[in-house]
Coordinates of all heavy atoms in Angstrom, one line a residue:
V201 N 5.3 18.4 35.1 CA 6.1 17.1 34.9 C 5.0 16.0 34.7 O 4.2 15.8 35.6 CB 7.0 16.8 36.0 CG1 7.8 15.5 35.7 CG2 8.0 17.9 36.2
Y202 N 5.1 15.3 33.6 CA 4.2 14.1 33.4 C 5.1 12.9 33.2 O 5.6 12.5 32.2 CB 3.4 14.3 32.1 CG 2.3 15.4 32.3 CD1 2.6 16.7 32.5 CD2 1.0 15.0 32.3 CE1 1.6 17.6 32.8 CE2 0.0 15.9 32.6 CZ 0.3 17.2 32.8 OH -0.7 18.1 33.0
R203 N 5.3 12.1 34.4 CA 6.0 10.9 34.4 C 5.1 9.8 33.9 O 4.2 9.4 34.6 CB 6.6 10.6 35.8 CG 7.5 11.7 36.3 CD 7.8 11.5 37.8 NE 8.5 12.6 38.4 CZ 7.9 13.7 38.9 NH1 6.6 13.7 38.9 NH2 8.6 14.7 39.4
I204 N 5.4 9.3 32.7 CA 4.4 8.4 32.1 C 4.7 6.9 32.3 O 5.9 6.5 32.4 CB 4.4 8.7 30.6 CG1 3.2 8.1 29.8 CG2 5.7 8.2 29.9 CD1 3.0 8.6 28.4
D205 N 3.7 6.2 32.5 CA 3.8 4.6 32.5 C 2.7 4.1 31.6 O 1.5 4.2 32.0 CB 3.6 4.2 34.0 CG 3.8 2.7 34.2 OD1 3.6 2.0 33.1 OD2 4.2 2.2 35.2
H206 N 3.0 3.6 30.6 CA 2.0 3.2 29.6 C 1.1 2.2 30.0 O 0.0 2.0 29.4 CB 2.7 2.7 28.3 CG 3.3 1.4 28.3 ND1 4.6 1.1 28.6 CD2 2.7 0.1 28.0 CE1 4.8 -0.2 28.5 NE2 3.7 -0.8 28.1
F207 N 1.4 1.5 31.1 CA 0.4 0.5 31.7 C -0.9 1.2 32.1 O -2.0 0.6 31.9 CB 1.1 -0.2 33.0 CG 1.4 -1.6 32.7 CD1 2.1 -2.0 31.6 CD2 1.1 -2.5 33.7 CE1 2.5 -3.3 31.4 CE2 1.4 -3.9 33.5 CZ 2.1 -4.3 32.3
L208 N -0.8 2.4 32.5 CA -1.9 3.2 33.0 C -2.8 3.6 31.8 O -3.9 4.2 32.0 CB -1.5 4.3 33.9 CG -1.0 4.0 35.2 CD1 -0.6 5.2 36.0 CD2 -1.8 3.0 35.9
G209 N -2.3 3.5 30.6 CA -3.0 3.9 29.4 C -4.0 2.8 29.0 O -4.9 3.0 28.1
K210 N -3.8 1.6 29.5 CA -4.7 0.4 29.1 C -6.0 0.5 29.7 O -6.2 0.8 30.9 CB -3.9 -0.9 29.6 CG -2.6 -1.2 28.9 CD -2.0 -2.5 29.4 CE -0.7 -2.7 28.7 NZ -0.7 -2.9 27.3
E211 N -7.0 0.3 28.9 CA -8.5 0.4 29.3 C -8.7 -0.5 30.5 O -9.4 -0.2 31.5 CB -9.4 0.0 28.2 CG -9.4 1.0 27.0 CD -10.0 2.4 27.4 OE1 -10.7 2.5 28.6 OE2 -10.0 3.3 26.6
T212 N -8.1 -1.7 30.5 CA -8.3 -2.7 31.5 C -7.7 -2.3 32.9 O -8.2 -2.7 33.9 CB -7.8 -4.1 31.1 OG1 -6.5 -4.0 30.5 CG2 -8.7 -4.7 30.1
V213 N -6.7 -1.5 32.8 CA -6.1 -1.0 34.0 C -6.9 0.1 34.7 O -7.3 0.1 35.9 CB -4.6 -0.5 33.8 CG1 -4.1 0.2 35.1 CG2 -3.7 -1.7 33.4
Q214 N -7.4 1.0 33.8 CA -8.3 2.0 34.3 C -9.6 1.5 34.8 O -10.3 2.0 35.6 CB -8.5 3.1 33.1 CG -7.2 3.9 32.7 CD -7.5 4.6 31.4 OE1 -8.4 5.5 31.4 NE2 -6.7 4.5 30.4
N215 N -10.0 0.4 34.2 CA -11.3 -0.2 34.6 C -11.2 -0.8 36.0 O -12.3 -1.0 36.6 CB -11.6 -1.4 33.7 CG -12.9 -2.0 33.9 OD1 -14.0 -1.4 33.9 ND2 -13.0 -3.3 34.2
I216 N -10.0 -1.0 36.6 CA -9.9 -1.3 38.0 C -10.6 -0.2 38.9 O -11.4 -0.6 39.8 CB -8.4 -1.5 38.4 CG1 -7.9 -2.7 37.6 CG2 -8.4 -1.8 39.9 CD1 -6.4 -2.9 37.9
L217 N -10.4 1.1 38.5 CA -11.0 2.1 39.4 C -12.5 2.1 39.1 O -13.3 2.3 40.0 CB -10.4 3.4 39.0 CG -8.9 3.7 39.3 CD1 -8.5 5.1 38.9 CD2 -8.6 3.4 40.7
A218 N -12.9 1.9 37.8 CA -14.4 1.8 37.6 C -15.1 0.7 38.3 O -16.1 0.9 38.8 CB -14.6 1.8 36.1
M219 N -14.4 -0.4 38.3 CA -15.0 -1.6 39.0 C -15.1 -1.4 40.5 O -16.1 -1.6 41.0 CB -14.1 -2.8 38.7 CG -14.6 -4.1 39.3 SD -13.3 -5.2 39.8 CE -12.6 -4.4 41.2
R220 N -14.0 -0.8 41.1 CA -14.0 -0.7 42.5 C -15.0 0.4 43.0 O -15.8 0.2 43.9 CB -12.6 -0.3 43.0 CG -11.7 -1.5 43.1 CD -10.4 -1.1 43.8 NE -10.6 -0.6 45.1 CZ -9.7 0.0 45.9 NH1 -8.5 0.2 45.4 NH2 -10.1 0.3 47.1
F221 N -14.9 1.6 42.3 CA -15.6 2.7 42.9 C -16.8 3.1 42.1 O -17.6 4.0 42.5 CB -14.6 4.0 42.9 CG -13.3 3.7 43.5 CD1 -12.1 4.0 43.0 CD2 -13.3 3.1 44.8 CE1 -10.9 3.8 43.6 CE2 -12.1 2.8 45.5 CZ -10.9 3.2 44.9
G222 N -17.2 2.3 41.0 CA -18.4 2.6 40.4 C -19.5 1.5 40.6 O -20.5 1.6 40.1
N223 N -19.1 0.6 41.5 CA -20.0 -0.6 41.7 C -20.0 -0.9 43.3 O -19.0 -1.2 43.8 CB -19.6 -1.8 41.0 CG -19.6 -1.6 39.5 OD1 -20.7 -1.6 38.8 ND2 -18.4 -1.4 38.9
L224 N -21.2 -0.7 43.8 CA -21.3 -1.0 45.3 C -21.1 -2.5 45.6 O -20.8 -2.9 46.7 CB -22.7 -0.6 45.8 CG -22.9 -0.6 47.3 CD1 -21.9 0.3 48.0 CD2 -24.3 -0.2 47.6
L225 N -21.2 -3.3 44.6 CA -21.0 -4.8 44.7 C -19.6 -5.1 45.3 O -19.5 -6.1 46.1 CB -21.3 -5.5 43.4 CG -21.1 -7.0 43.3 CD1 -22.1 -7.7 44.3 CD2 -21.2 -7.5 41.9
F226 N -18.6 -4.4 44.9 CA -17.2 -4.9 45.1 C -16.6 -4.2 46.3 O -16.0 -4.8 47.2 CB -16.3 -4.7 43.9 CG -16.8 -5.4 42.7 CD1 -17.4 -4.8 41.6 CD2 -16.6 -6.8 42.6 CE1 -17.8 -5.4 40.5 CE2 -17.0 -7.5 41.5 CZ -17.6 -6.8 40.5
E227 N -16.7 -2.9 46.4 CA -15.9 -2.1 47.4 C -16.1 -2.5 48.9 O -15.2 -2.6 49.7 CB -16.1 -0.6 47.2 CG -15.1 0.3 48.0 CD -13.7 0.0 47.8 OE1 -13.4 -0.5 46.7 OE2 -12.8 0.3 48.6
P228 N -17.4 -2.9 49.3 CA -17.5 -3.3 50.7 C -16.8 -4.5 51.0 O -16.5 -4.8 52.2 CB -19.1 -3.6 50.8 CG -19.7 -2.7 49.7 CD -18.6 -2.7 48.6
L229 N -16.4 -5.4 50.0 CA -15.7 -6.6 50.3 C -14.2 -6.4 50.2 O -13.4 -7.4 50.4 CB -16.1 -7.7 49.3 CG -17.6 -8.1 49.3 CD1 -17.9 -9.1 48.2 CD2 -18.1 -8.6 50.6
W230 N -13.7 -5.2 49.8 CA -12.4 -5.0 49.4 C -11.6 -4.7 50.6 O -11.0 -3.5 50.8 CB -12.3 -3.8 48.4 CG -11.3 -4.0 47.3 CD1 -10.2 -3.4 47.1 CD2 -11.5 -4.9 46.2 NE1 -9.6 -3.8 45.8 CE2 -10.4 -4.8 45.3 CE3 -12.5 -5.9 45.8 CZ2 -10.2 -5.5 44.2 CZ3 -12.3 -6.6 44.7 CH2 -11.1 -6.4 43.9
R231 N -11.4 -5.6 51.5 CA -10.7 -5.4 52.8 C -10.3 -6.7 53.5 O -10.7 -7.8 53.0 CB -11.5 -4.5 53.7 CG -12.9 -5.2 54.1 CD -13.8 -4.2 54.8 NE -14.2 -3.1 53.9 CZ -13.8 -1.9 54.0 NH1 -12.9 -1.5 55.0 NH2 -14.2 -1.0 53.2
N232 N -9.5 -6.6 54.5 CA -8.9 -7.8 55.2 C -9.9 -8.7 55.8 O -9.6 -9.8 56.1 CB -7.8 -7.4 56.1 CG -8.3 -6.4 57.2 OD1 -9.5 -6.1 57.3 ND2 -7.4 -5.8 57.9
E233 N -11.1 -8.2 56.1 CA -12.2 -9.0 56.6 C -12.5 -10.2 55.7 O -12.9 -11.3 56.1 CB -13.4 -8.3 57.0 CG -13.2 -7.2 58.0 CD -14.4 -6.3 58.1 OE1 -15.5 -6.8 58.4 OE2 -14.3 -5.1 57.8
F234 N -12.4 -9.9 54.4 CA -12.9 -10.9 53.4 C -11.9 -11.5 52.4 O -12.0 -12.5 52.0 CB -14.0 -10.2 52.5 CG -15.1 -9.7 53.3 CD1 -15.2 -8.3 53.6 CD2 -16.1 -10.5 53.9 CE1 -16.2 -7.7 54.3 CE2 -17.1 -10.0 54.7 CZ -17.2 -8.6 54.9
I235 N -10.7 -10.7 52.2 CA -9.8 -11.1 51.3 C -8.6 -11.8 52.0 O -8.0 -11.3 53.0 CB -9.3 -9.8 50.5 CG1 -10.4 -9.3 49.6 CG2 -8.1 -10.2 49.7 CD1 -10.0 -8.0 48.8
D236 N -8.2 -12.9 51.4 CA -7.1 -13.7 52.0 C -5.8 -13.2 51.5 O -4.8 -13.0 52.3 CB -7.3 -15.2 51.6 CG -6.1 -16.0 52.1 OD1 -6.1 -16.3 53.3 OD2 -5.2 -16.4 51.3
H237 N -5.6 -13.0 50.2 CA -4.4 -12.4 49.6 C -4.6 -11.9 48.2 O -5.7 -12.2 47.6 CB -3.2 -13.4 49.7 CG -3.4 -14.6 48.7 ND1 -4.2 -15.7 48.8 CD2 -2.9 -14.7 47.4 CE1 -4.1 -16.5 47.8 NE2 -3.3 -15.9 46.9
V238 N -3.7 -11.2 47.6 CA -3.8 -10.8 46.3 C -2.5 -11.1 45.6 O -1.4 -11.0 46.1 CB -4.0 -9.2 46.3 CG1 -4.0 -8.6 44.8 CG2 -5.2 -8.8 47.0
Q239 N -2.7 -11.5 44.3 CA -1.5 -11.8 43.4 C -1.5 -10.9 42.2 O -2.6 -10.7 41.6 CB -1.6 -13.3 42.9 CG -1.6 -14.3 44.0 CD -1.7 -15.8 43.4 OE1 -1.4 -16.0 42.3 NE2 -2.0 -16.7 44.3
I240 N -0.4 -10.4 41.9 CA -0.2 -9.5 40.7 C 0.8 -10.1 39.8 O 2.0 -10.2 40.3 CB 0.0 -8.0 41.1 CG1 -1.0 -7.4 42.0 CG2 0.2 -7.2 39.8 CD1 -0.7 -6.1 42.6
T241 N 0.4 -10.4 38.6 CA 1.4 -11.1 37.7 C 1.6 -10.4 36.4 O 0.6 -9.9 35.8 CB 0.8 -12.5 37.4 OG1 0.8 -13.3 38.6 CG2 1.6 -13.2 36.4
A242 N 2.8 -10.3 35.9 CA 3.0 -9.8 34.6 C 4.0 -10.8 34.0 O 5.2 -10.6 34.2 CB 3.7 -8.4 34.6
A243 N 3.6 -11.8 33.3 CA 4.3 -12.9 32.8 C 4.5 -12.7 31.3 O 3.5 -12.4 30.5 CB 3.7 -14.3 33.1
E244 N 5.7 -12.8 30.8 CA 6.0 -12.7 29.3 C 6.5 -14.0 28.8 O 7.3 -14.7 29.5 CB 7.0 -11.6 29.1 CG 6.5 -10.2 29.5 CD 7.6 -9.1 29.3 OE1 7.5 -8.5 28.2 OE2 8.4 -8.9 30.2
T245 N 6.2 -14.4 27.5 CA 6.8 -15.5 26.9 C 8.1 -15.1 26.1 O 8.9 -16.0 25.8 CB 5.8 -16.1 25.9 OG1 5.3 -15.1 25.0 CG2 4.6 -16.7 26.6
I246 N 8.2 -13.9 25.8 CA 9.4 -13.4 25.1 C 10.6 -13.2 26.0 O 10.4 -13.0 27.2 CB 9.2 -12.1 24.3 CG1 8.9 -11.0 25.3 CG2 8.1 -12.2 23.3 CD1 8.9 -9.5 24.7
G247 N 11.8 -13.5 25.5 CA 13.0 -13.2 26.3 C 13.5 -11.8 26.0 O 12.8 -10.9 25.6
V248 N 14.8 -11.6 26.2 CA 15.3 -10.2 26.0 C 15.6 -10.0 24.6 O 15.9 -8.8 24.2 CB 16.7 -10.0 26.8 CG1 16.3 -10.1 28.3 CG2 17.7 -11.0 26.4
E249 N 15.6 -11.0 23.7 CA 15.8 -10.9 22.2 C 17.2 -10.1 22.0 O 18.2 -10.6 22.4 CB 14.6 -10.1 21.6 CG 13.2 -10.7 21.9 CD 13.1 -12.2 21.5 OE1 13.7 -12.6 20.5 OE2 12.2 -12.8 22.2
Q250 N 17.1 -9.0 21.3 CA 18.3 -8.2 21.1 C 18.5 -7.0 22.0 O 19.3 -6.2 21.7 CB 18.2 -7.5 19.6 CG 18.0 -8.7 18.5 CD 19.1 -9.7 18.5 OE1 20.3 -9.3 18.5 NE2 18.7 -11.0 18.4
R251 N 17.8 -7.0 23.1 CA 17.9 -5.9 24.1 C 18.8 -6.2 25.3 O 18.6 -5.6 26.3 CB 16.5 -5.6 24.6 CG 15.6 -5.1 23.4 CD 14.1 -4.9 23.9 NE 14.0 -3.8 24.9 CZ 13.6 -4.0 26.2 NH1 13.3 -5.2 26.6 NH2 13.4 -3.0 27.0
G252 N 19.7 -7.2 25.1 CA 20.6 -7.6 26.2 C 21.4 -6.5 26.8 O 21.5 -6.4 28.0
A253 N 21.9 -5.5 26.0 CA 22.7 -4.5 26.4 C 21.9 -3.6 27.3 O 22.5 -3.0 28.3 CB 23.3 -3.7 25.2
F254 N 20.6 -3.4 27.1 CA 19.8 -2.6 27.9 C 19.4 -3.3 29.2 O 19.5 -2.8 30.3 CB 18.5 -2.1 27.2 CG 17.4 -1.7 28.2 CD1 17.4 -0.5 28.8 CD2 16.4 -2.7 28.4 CE1 16.4 -0.2 29.7 CE2 15.3 -2.3 29.3 CZ 15.3 -1.1 29.9
Y255 N 19.1 -4.5 29.0 CA 18.5 -5.3 30.1 C 19.6 -5.7 31.1 O 19.2 -5.8 32.4 CB 17.8 -6.6 29.5 CG 16.8 -7.2 30.5 CD1 15.4 -6.6 30.5 CD2 17.1 -8.2 31.4 CE1 14.5 -7.1 31.4 CE2 16.2 -8.7 32.2 CZ 14.9 -8.2 32.2 OH 14.0 -8.7 33.1

Side-chain angles (χ1 to χ4, degrees):
V201 185
Y202 286 69
R203 301 171 188 83
I204 193 168
D205 186 332
H206 76 269
F207 252 44
L208 292 183
K210 296 180 182 296
E211 294 289 352
T212 44
V213 174
Q214 296 171 52
N215 186 54
I216 297 173
L217 296 184
M219 182 211 69
R220 284 189 60 191
F221 306 132
N223 300 283
L224 189 58
L225 176 64
F226 300 107
E227 189 59 24
L229 304 177
W230 222 251
R231 60 190 66 251
N232 55 9
E233 297 169 63
F234 305 102
I235 292 176
D236 179 77
H237 73 279
V238 179
Q239 300 178 20
I240 302 176
T241 295
E244 300 179 88
T245 53
I246 62 170
V248 297
E249 310 297 335
Q250 303 300 314
R251 299 173 66 241
F254 158 77
Y255 202 83

